[in-house]
Amino acid sequence: MTGRPEILWPLFADLKGLDGIGPKTAQAMEHLDIVAPRDLLFTLPYSIIDRRLRDSVQGADLPGIVTVEVTIGQHRAPSKRGAPYRIDVDDAETRFQLVFFHPRPDYLMRVLPTGQRRVISGRVELFDGVPQMVHPEHILDPDETDSLPEFEPVYPLTSGVTQKVMFKAVADALTRLPDLAEWIDAEQARQEGWPTWGDALRRAHAPEGQNDLAPTAPARARLAYDELMAHQLTLALARADRRKTRGIVTTGDGRLRAKVLKSLPYRPTGAQLRSMDEIAGDMASPEKMNRLLQGDVGAGKTLVAFMALLVAVEAGGQGVMMAPTEILARQHLEGLQPLAESAGVVLELLTGRDKGAERQAKLAALARGDIQILVGTHAVFQKDVEFRDLRLAIVDEQHRFGVRQRLELGKKGQGADVLVMTATPIPRSLALAQYGDMDVSLLDEKPPGRKPVKTALISTERMDEVVDHLHRAISEGRQAYWVCPLVEESEVSDLIAAEARFKHLRAVLGEGVVGLVHGQMPHDQKDAAMADFVAGKTSVLVATTVIEVGVNVPNASIMVIERAEIFGLAQLHQLRGRVGRGEAASTCLLMYQAPLSESGMKRLTTLRETEDGFRISEVDLEMRGAGDLIGTAQSGLPRFRVADLERQAALMAVAQSDARRLLADDPTLQTDRGKAARHLLWLMRQDEAIRLISVG
């Protein structure tokens, strides 16, 4: 597996060898991410032009592209400079004109000689009632008509690359297709009616109508599946590779967990109990746990996480829980403290703030094993932090936490189990694309006692009413968040927006009632403002989206989101989840600026109608697309050329189970199908996977 198999060499050869591609065009194509014939083949046409031959331009849908056979009539050279050159032509039913600007008359006389028959194709428009074709795109002898496809594929372009160049280069690249063995399960290909890989490419580049462009067209579905399969094979190989690293068998006797369950005023939900069992089962197995705990806002992740940490403590080991920010780490500490007291275990916090003697004392206690559960920020990664016996690491809010940090964590406790928690419900297809190497536990039930949040839409013109409403609520002792919009990209303007709103509310509601938190503040000021709000010293907290994740103030029962229409759905859902945590009935006011666009309206009404984060994330995916949903740059989401995660979600799930099954039967990919799958990995540039097999 050292180098790329010879059979694939033609697909990874120099682009410049292809018909019509010189050094300049090759350079231009890099803007389309095309650097080899293989990339060109996976750049599929996104639409088609109907070039079917008609008898006449009469009765055609104008303006539009028409292909007709004509007899060339009189050439009319322009009478004055800059005027167009016209040629009369007759089709089977009518006379019309070909129009050329800045013409070369000798050239036109040569290609369109009077009295001859030609097939012409181009855009026809009516000008003063007379049909005109300006600069025909194709001029052919009648016996060459076959060289013009009935449906001409239309490719994505960049400056310096024309449709003609793409068409010729693709045609040439298609002649180089190697005959590859099939990597798709034969039964599956038969059921779906999928063509072979080579046929799928040939068909995808020669669509015979609008239907052939749909993601569901057999040729396209097959090519999309190849991409998803390669991606899932890579994740499955990574998962298998990680499972080879011996974990630690951690089995608790249940005594501490029983204490905690007894102290709870409610019974955990079915989803919580199921997740606790799944996690405990993983910890007891000799393989390293790599599990994602995915739960909607307020689904009770904290309890599940703490129960997992107790398994580590019952077994005589230690656990660590990490949050992306200091505020969140402190919140976890506060959430876990009462549980730790009921279990009688030692819980401690370590952040970047711990300095000097105090820090040294904590580190010593950790190394001795006196601290059983540590809550912290990235400070936990520092060299001098050593555990006596780390069994479980829990990471909160995954996508602020890259894969690299997950590996760092592994070094702290060789074989320590890892649990990742996220409060962002992600649609299944994306969860598979992003976390396909992990096992997933879902918290899809709300714990008893969480009250629904009433959500209302209100136009910014009614700002004064909203402020009055706020005034009344505060006088009754309630607290509110006021989230300001992210104005432009610049943080300065966010700052101005937040400060202006803060001053306005302070003027109306009174000094000392309103606090302010935004991204540009120094850490200690931010923490102080949050602390005042948590303690109830301030009643209204004006904020940019820094409060999106994890803040818990049970007394806060009003959430005002200004210019809600410019936020993403998932973000609005997270923000709304900050209220509804206490006894009082809560409201979320989505303030929008009229008129609302159709998509803005759809987002806000979706929120008003449901509190189910998974349902909301599905709508978000349909509306925004996969890249935006997780922010492609930081999501580690693969860039697929053919597959469309929004519309082909179901294929992703099939690809995952297929990839895992193939590797279970053939871990080193040595069977015929396994060898074909290796070709697929090379073809899809899955170098990471190839490295794993060659090492394996």
Side-chain angles (χ1 to χ4, degrees):
M1 254 337 243
T2 44
R4 184 179 290 126
E6 202 168 322
I7 191 169
L8 297 177
W9 288 358
L11 296 179
F12 287 87
D14 197 338
L15 266 185
K16 293 194 285 287
L18 290 174
D19 194 7
I21 297 187
K24 260 191 153 141
T25 313
Q27 209 174 355
M29 282 197 170
E30 284 181 22
H31 292 294
L32 295 168
D33 288 329
I34 297 175
V35 295
R38 162 232 178 263
D39 307 324
L40 195 59
L41 291 170
F42 286 118
T43 305
L44 301 186
Y46 63 89
S47 92
I48 48 176
I49 296 169
D50 184 342
R51 299 265 185 211
R52 284 176 295 187
L53 192 60
R54 300 175 53 95
D55 290 338
S56 171
V57 295
Q58 255 185 340
D61 201 2
L62 300 183
I65 301 272
V66 185
T67 307
V68 285
E69 188 172 329
V70 296
T71 304
I72 312 292
Q74 191 182 353
H75 283 237
R76 304 162 183 274
S79 48
K80 56 179 192 292
R81 265 192 74 143
Y85 186 107
R86 300 172 185 277
I87 303 174
D88 291 335
V89 294
D90 292 290
D91 64 24
E93 293 175 27
T94 186
R95 169 168 293 193
F96 63 102
Q97 287 187 329
L98 306 185
V99 179
F100 297 87
F101 293 94
H102 314 298
R104 302 206 309 277
D106 52 335
Y107 167 74
L108 292 176
M109 291 295 221
R110 195 168 71 245
V111 294
L112 293 163
T114 302
Q116 295 285 315
R117 309 274 298 159
R118 290 286 183 270
V119 171
I120 55 172
S121 185
R123 189 175 168 82
V124 177
E125 300 195 22
L126 288 174
F127 191 74
D128 284 345
V130 181
Q132 290 191 343
M133 187 185 287
V134 179
H135 291 278
E137 290 152 14
H138 297 273
I139 300 172
L140 304 164
D141 275 319
D143 53 3
E144 299 174 330
T145 318
D146 290 351
S147 68
L148 188 65
E150 289 199 327
F151 294 98
E152 186 179 340
V154 181
Y155 292 98
L157 300 177
T158 180
S159 92
V161 180
T162 62
Q163 287 299 343
K164 225 170 224 163
V165 167
M166 286 293 280
F167 188 71
K168 275 170 70 172
V170 166
D172 192 6
L174 284 168
T175 62
R176 308 181 174 208
L177 288 184
D179 190 9
L180 298 178
E182 185 57 85
W183 48 78
I184 289 182
D185 178 66
E187 182 50 29
Q188 187 192 349
R190 199 185 57 73
Q191 271 179 1
E192 300 280 358
W194 285 343
T196 62
W197 174 73
D199 282 347
L201 276 171
R202 283 186 278 269
R203 276 194 222 172
H205 286 285
E208 290 178 5
Q210 228 31 63
N211 291 346
D212 287 353
L213 299 172
T216 47
R220 291 209 171 208
R222 146 93 216 212
L223 294 171
Y225 187 76
D226 291 339
E227 270 189 314
L228 300 176
M229 176 76 179
H231 173 62
Q232 288 296 336
L233 260 176
T234 303
L235 291 176
L237 281 162
R239 178 172 178 257
D241 182 60
R242 219 188 4 249
R243 293 188 144 202
K244 281 192 293 215
T245 39
R246 304 293 295 170
I248 310 163
V249 173
T250 301
T251 355
D253 53 14
R255 65 200 153 83
L256 300 176
R257 284 171 287 172
K259 281 187 187 173
V260 173
L261 286 174
K262 224 169 88 184
S263 74
L264 293 175
Y266 56 86
R267 185 180 153 67
T269 65
Q272 283 177 309
L273 293 167
R274 187 184 62 230
S275 300
M276 291 173 197
D277 287 346
E278 288 169 347
I279 294 165
D282 277 2
M283 290 175 74
S285 95
E287 284 153 354
K288 215 166 138 177
M289 169 165 79
N290 192 39
R291 187 170 279 279
L292 177 70
L293 176 63
Q294 199 187 11
D296 204 349
V297 185
K301 289 184 294 294
T302 310
L303 178 65
V304 176
F306 189 68
M307 290 303 218
L309 291 164
L310 287 183
V311 175
V313 178
E314 287 171 1
Q318 294 164 295
V320 62
M321 181 156 177
M322 284 180 309
T325 65
E326 192 156 330
I327 290 180
L328 283 175
R330 288 185 184 283
Q331 293 233 309
H332 279 313
L333 184 74
E334 283 158 25
L336 298 176
Q337 204 87 55
L339 297 172
E341 278 163 20
S342 62
V345 297
V346 183
L347 178 71
E348 197 46 89
L349 176 73
L350 181 69
T351 70
R353 288 232 185 129
D354 293 303
K355 300 273 189 291
E358 194 183 346
R359 181 179 156 91
Q360 287 312 317
K362 280 186 188 178
L363 294 182
L366 199 61
R368 283 197 308 272
D370 294 352
I371 295 174
Q372 292 162 299
I373 296 175
L374 183 68
V375 175
T377 54
H378 294 59
V380 173
F381 285 130
Q382 286 160 350
K383 291 269 188 297
D384 57 353
V385 180
E386 285 185 15
F387 292 84
R388 193 178 70 96
D389 179 10
L390 179 64
R391 299 293 186 92
L392 172 68
I394 298 182
V395 180
D396 186 23
E397 271 307 322
Q398 163 83 17
H399 29 257
R400 323 256 155 127
F401 220 92
V403 177
R404 206 189 71 239
Q405 278 117 327
R406 274 197 271 171
L407 293 174
E408 280 288 308
L409 191 64
K411 296 193 187 111
K412 287 281 173 209
Q414 283 297 338
D417 288 318
V418 177
L419 179 68
V420 174
M421 296 201 302
T422 169
T424 320
I426 318 172
R428 177 131 194 265
S429 58
L430 285 191
L432 288 176
Q434 206 183 359
Y435 307 118
D437 58 332
M438 303 176 87
D439 301 301
V440 181
S441 289
L442 269 191
L443 293 178
D444 46 11
E445 299 169 50
K446 282 248 161 71
R450 285 285 304 220
K451 298 196 172 67
V453 177
K454 185 171 172 285
T455 303
L457 274 53
I458 189 163
S459 151
T460 40
E461 289 154 14
R462 296 167 60 191
M463 176 78 71
D464 296 345
E465 289 174 48
V466 174
V467 177
D468 284 347
H469 172 75
L470 210 54
H471 208 183
R472 281 198 305 280
I474 292 168
S475 62
E476 291 163 14
R478 295 167 63 181
Q479 284 177 283
Y481 295 98
W482 188 299
V483 177
C484 290
L486 292 161
V487 196
E488 276 99 53
E489 285 301 293
S490 90
E491 288 171 336
V492 182
S493 48
D494 292 342
L495 185 65
I496 296 168
E499 287 188 333
R501 180 59 60 227
F502 168 67
K503 286 181 182 140
H504 169 200
L505 291 174
R506 193 176 55 183
V508 179
L509 304 172
E511 283 293 324
V513 177
V514 190
L516 173 66
V517 180
H518 58 72
Q520 300 302 90
M521 275 182 169
H523 257 306
D524 43 347
Q525 280 183 30
K526 210 185 290 186
D527 285 359
M530 290 300 284
D532 283 348
F533 187 62
V534 172
K537 287 185 190 155
T538 50
S539 301
V540 179
L541 185 64
V542 174
T544 50
T545 50
V546 285
I547 59 157
E548 179 185 338
V549 186
V551 183
N552 190 15
V553 182
N555 189 46
S557 59
I558 300 169
M559 168 66 70
V560 180
I561 303 173
E562 207 177 323
R563 295 294 308 277
E565 77 277 7
I566 58 181
F567 289 91
L569 255 174
Q571 213 178 13
L572 289 168
H573 179 61
Q574 289 292 326
L575 288 167
R576 174 171 63 183
R578 300 296 117 225
V579 296
R581 296 169 164 250
E583 293 306 304
S586 296
T587 40
C588 172
L589 297 178
L590 302 173
M591 295 185 74
Y592 62 89
Q593 191 163 325
L596 264 181
S597 69
E598 197 180 328
S599 66
M601 191 69 197
K602 185 172 177 192
R603 282 209 299 274
L604 300 187
T605 48
T606 300
L607 272 166
R608 187 174 61 195
E609 281 147 28
T610 177
E611 282 196 73
D612 174 352
F614 289 94
R615 173 75 204 104
I616 287 170
S617 73
E618 295 287 353
V619 175
D620 209 4
L621 177 63
E622 281 161 32
M623 294 184 64
R624 279 203 294 164
D628 285 352
L629 199 58
I630 331 189
T632 311
Q634 44 134 2
S635 69
L637 250 197
R639 303 262 317 263
F640 296 121
R641 285 191 103 102
V642 180
D644 173 337
L645 282 182
E646 288 91 274
R647 296 204 201 76
Q648 295 176 311
L651 283 181
M652 181 65 100
V654 182
Q656 186 192 48
S657 61
D658 197 14
R660 287 187 176 184
R661 196 172 57 236
L662 173 60
L663 281 181
D665 299 343
D666 180 11
T668 51
L669 299 182
Q670 295 301 341
T671 60
D672 288 348
R673 188 178 166 210
K675 287 179 180 148
R678 288 174 175 238
H679 282 155
L680 171 67
L681 291 170
W682 279 109
L683 190 62
M684 295 300 176
R685 295 210 167 102
Q686 297 288 335
D687 301 11
E688 187 63 19
I690 290 158
R691 197 180 54 72
L692 287 170
I693 308 175
S694 36
V695 173

